[in-house]
Amino acid sequence: MAQITIYKKDPCPFCDRAINFLNGKGLAYDMVDLTNKPEEIDRIKSETGWRTVPIILINGKLIGGYTDLKALDDEGKLTALLEA
């Protein structure tokens, strides 16, 4: 099973959508809450090159945010990525 990591902060409607999406698919994930941790947010953004939250990784590979995750699913590519 793939390792999914989501970095989020509150408030963030796209973070909530990503979490609801993953829960709806029955997928296990690690969630890292960056609320009130600006230095951690800056570090993760610097490491991944992604500028907004959520930041979603699958097996250590940057997927992007919620819309990117949803697009992978809509294109039928998410399942293969999770099984790789």
Side-chain angles (χ1 to χ4, degrees):
M1 182 54 97
Q3 179 181 350
I4 303 170
T5 305
I6 179 168
Y7 294 91
K8 69 170 285 272
K9 70 176 187 173
D10 289 322
C12 172
F14 284 96
C15 298
D16 295 339
R17 289 177 191 162
I19 290 166
N20 289 335
F21 175 86
L22 294 171
N23 288 340
K25 293 275 188 185
L27 297 170
Y29 55 90
D30 295 319
M31 182 173 53
V32 181
D33 190 345
L34 300 175
T35 304
N36 299 319
K37 298 178 183 175
E39 64 288 338
E40 281 295 302
I41 291 173
D42 290 342
R43 183 182 65 78
I44 297 300
K45 286 180 177 181
S46 177
E47 285 178 9
T48 62
W50 198 254
R51 307 310 310 159
T52 60
V53 290
I55 299 171
I56 302 168
L57 306 172
I58 296 179
N59 292 329
K61 178 183 175 203
L62 176 67
I63 298 306
Y66 166 72
T67 53
D68 304 285
L69 178 68
K70 182 77 169 78
L72 281 173
D73 188 53
D74 290 346
E75 294 167 6
K77 297 177 181 176
L78 182 61
T79 300
L81 191 59
L82 293 172
E83 293 173 352

